[in-house]
Amino acid sequence: METFNPSITPPPPIPYTYIISTSANRLDLPANSTTNVIGTTTSPWMDSRIWSRLPQKLLDRVLAFLPPPAFFRARSVCKRWYALLYSNTFLQLYLEISPRCHWFLFFNHKSLKSHIYRNSGCANNNTANSSNNSNNNDSRGYNYCQAYLFDPNEIVWYRLSFPMIPPGFSPVSSSNGLICWVLDEAGPKSLFLHNPLLNTLTQLPPTLRPRLFPSVGLTITDSSIDLAVAGDDLISPYAVKNLTTESFHIDGSGFYSIWGTTSSLPRLCSLESGHMTHHNGKFYCMNYSPFSILTYDILSNTWWKIQAPMRRFLRSPSLVELEQKLVLVAAVEKSKLNVPRSLRLWCLQSCGTAWVEMERMPQQLYAQFAEVEGGRGFDCVGHGQFVMMMVRGVNKGVLFDLRRKRWFWLPPCPYSNAGELHGFRYEPRLATPVTGLLDQLALPFQSSFAA
């Protein structure tokens, strides 16, 4: 696979620059109280005679703690480190001790309106439309997709390419290190799961009902996969209705349901977002005109509506999971003078129907944000303790850190020239053994990607 391309310069290799203090061995002394000598040498701490005797088990534990960009750079050191991705022993250790990374993955925005009634036999059109979110070519002349990985802890952007993604597919959801891609063409939807770091593809069976642009929810654990495809039933070439939901389930006990469970959506619903958020065994998505929240319980296979707070005054609402809580993020624009315009976060309470305001963007920052946004709207994505609010049409956004109670502007992605970015929560994973459960289904899908 292609290695990471960090947007910052990596530290210099050994030999390295060092600073020697001649007064005291302290870090908090003022600069004029020491005499510094800068030079280049090989540190005795990096003596190969020491590190060559480090037990391999201990060394593997050190490597398992590396963040993905550092790990892939480390693989170029020697053949053994390069082969770690293919070592079951190391991957098992990695799954047990590797720290979780609450990162984000962004793609250049691609409008799906052009895919509504396009002839599925036009391969050239597929390639041309997929170039809306790609600017690379492989040896066969196909345009392939690229994405931008953001580390909110280090405030660093990386670039990833996806040469194995066939044209005519779009990313719709992410869970446990896997990205779900769905076919753009109207009809039964083909889907597959993709690990961007390992560059592996695992296809799912196509949906039974033809659909246009459904909302897709995905949740993956170490022992199960649950997928829901809802709405936009294509009942005729000129009539699209939000009618039904199809669900897919497979787990380690051997139980599976291949789109065999269907349920009807609530009446008068409008799933315009095309996105679902998973929280505590349920999928949530925004309903429009008027605003409300649609809830789908995976176990009971039922839908219901939850009233949104201040629903008549919301703008650009989004649902995110933040610190294991379901949070609604939206701008508030109320005509009364005693309610200033603002951007607020509400948390769904344990009762499942009440919302409580938990945070509000500082008014001075919101004035700047509203000026940049200019009425275009914004999209939100949350992961761990972070929420990213990306302005539509421009490469700008604001990051909120819940634990530190900090709001600040994001550095623009240096790799994207298209402006608008569409993001997902993403946890980089070097191993996704749950995809092995799909092998028992004996799907005849390999030939579809061999061409």
Side-chain angles (χ1 to χ4, degrees):
M1 69 163 284
E2 178 179 317
T3 58
F4 285 87
N5 298 311
S7 59
I8 59 174
T9 304
I14 300 172
Y16 63 93
T17 301
Y18 66 97
I19 300 178
I20 300 176
S21 174
T22 60
S23 59
N25 196 16
R26 296 181 57 186
L27 298 178
D28 56 351
L29 294 177
N32 56 8
S33 65
T34 62
T35 303
N36 296 330
V37 180
I38 300 179
T40 302
T41 185
T42 301
S43 169
W45 292 104
M46 299 304 297
D47 193 331
S48 60
R49 292 173 296 179
I50 298 176
W51 288 93
S52 63
R53 298 182 181 181
L54 191 69
Q56 292 294 343
K57 291 184 178 181
L58 180 58
L59 183 59
D60 287 351
R61 294 184 70 88
V62 174
L63 294 176
F65 275 96
L66 291 177
F71 175 82
F72 279 93
R73 288 195 296 267
R75 290 183 70 208
S76 62
V77 172
C78 61
K79 291 182 178 180
R80 183 184 180 277
W81 289 13
Y82 181 83
L84 287 177
L85 276 181
Y86 311 101
S87 169
N88 292 334
T89 303
F90 174 79
L91 293 179
Q92 182 63 35
L93 176 66
Y94 169 85
L95 292 174
E96 293 175 357
I97 69 173
S98 177
R100 308 194 71 168
C101 299
H102 296 141
W103 290 12
F104 299 90
L105 191 66
F106 288 87
F107 296 84
N108 289 328
H109 178 74
K110 178 177 66 172
S111 174
L112 294 178
K113 299 301 181 182
S114 60
H115 299 288
I116 293 179
Y117 299 118
R118 193 180 58 204
N119 188 343
S120 60
C122 298
N124 293 334
N125 288 344
N126 288 347
T127 304
N129 280 280
S130 67
S131 64
N132 290 337
N133 66 340
S134 60
N135 56 7
N136 294 303
N137 297 320
D138 65 4
S139 59
R140 297 171 294 179
Y142 292 155
N143 290 309
Y144 60 81
C145 178
Q146 67 177 14
Y148 317 107
L149 188 61
F150 181 72
D151 178 359
N153 293 291
E154 301 295 332
I155 316 297
V156 179
W157 290 93
Y158 302 94
R159 178 169 53 190
L160 287 173
S161 60
F162 306 99
M164 291 187 66
I165 302 299
F169 282 79
S170 297
V172 290
S173 188
S174 172
S175 179
N176 206 18
L178 297 176
I179 306 295
C180 180
W181 296 72
V182 65
L183 182 67
D184 296 330
E185 296 288 346
K189 291 297 183 180
S190 298
L191 307 99
F192 60 83
L193 304 177
H194 176 235
N195 187 324
L197 299 189
L198 302 179
N199 210 14
T200 58
L201 292 178
T202 304
Q203 190 175 5
L204 298 170
T207 60
L208 301 180
R209 294 174 179 264
R211 299 179 186 272
L212 183 59
F213 180 37
S215 296
V216 179
L218 172 70
T219 178
I220 298 175
T221 67
D222 292 336
S223 59
S224 66
I225 300 175
D226 281 284
L227 193 70
V229 178
D232 268 5
D233 299 59
L234 192 61
I235 60 178
S236 78
Y238 305 100
V240 178
K241 303 292 183 181
N242 294 309
L243 297 175
T244 63
T245 303
E246 296 177 83
S247 61
F248 175 93
H249 172 84
I250 187 170
D251 58 43
S253 66
F255 175 77
Y256 61 89
S257 174
I258 305 177
W259 310 119
T261 304
T262 60
S263 61
S264 299
L265 274 71
R267 295 180 64 251
L268 304 178
C269 63
S270 177
L271 302 177
E272 296 180 5
S273 66
H275 174 69
M276 293 187 185
T277 299
H278 179 265
H279 172 69
N280 197 24
K282 302 177 181 66
F283 287 119
Y284 298 85
C285 56
M286 288 302 306
N287 183 59
Y288 295 81
S289 302
F291 289 125
S292 62
I293 291 87
L294 298 178
T295 306
Y296 174 67
D297 189 294
I298 299 175
L299 292 179
S300 63
N301 190 34
T302 56
W303 283 89
W304 64 88
K305 287 185 180 181
I306 301 175
Q307 184 171 336
M310 304 181 69
R311 59 177 183 170
R312 296 182 180 179
F313 310 102
L314 299 182
R315 189 168 60 82
S316 299
S318 297
L319 292 169
V320 301
E321 189 179 41
L322 187 62
E323 294 281 67
Q324 299 182 352
K325 299 177 181 178
L326 184 70
V327 175
L328 173 64
V329 185
V332 175
E333 295 184 349
K334 197 170 182 179
S335 57
K336 294 183 179 180
L337 298 178
N338 60 345
V339 181
R341 295 184 177 183
S342 59
L343 189 146
R344 307 185 190 187
L345 283 71
W346 294 269
C347 175
L348 183 66
Q349 300 303 289
S350 57
C351 64
T353 56
W355 298 87
V356 174
E357 183 177 333
M358 56 184 296
E359 295 292 339
R360 188 179 299 191
M361 180 182 286
Q363 201 61 35
Q364 183 177 1
L365 177 60
Y366 179 73
Q368 300 173 2
F369 182 80
E371 182 179 359
V372 172
E373 185 227 357
R376 288 184 292 262
F378 57 92
D379 297 305
C380 300
V381 55
H383 199 189
Q385 70 198 64
F386 303 101
V387 179
M388 296 182 69
M389 289 141 280
M390 305 298 294
V391 178
R392 295 171 185 166
V394 295
N395 187 4
K396 292 183 180 180
V398 171
L399 179 68
F400 172 58
D401 187 335
L402 178 63
R403 294 180 186 175
R404 298 182 177 90
K405 305 296 182 180
R406 293 181 56 203
W407 301 79
F408 54 90
W409 285 99
L410 291 167
C413 177
Y415 306 115
S416 175
N417 297 322
E420 185 172 344
L421 296 177
H422 179 57
F424 302 94
R425 55 186 292 154
Y426 177 67
E427 179 185 353
R429 300 293 296 269
L430 300 180
T432 52
V434 69
T435 55
L437 297 175
L438 298 173
D439 295 339
Q440 61 184 288
L441 299 180
L443 300 175
F445 63 87
Q446 297 292 347
S447 59
S448 61
F449 294 99

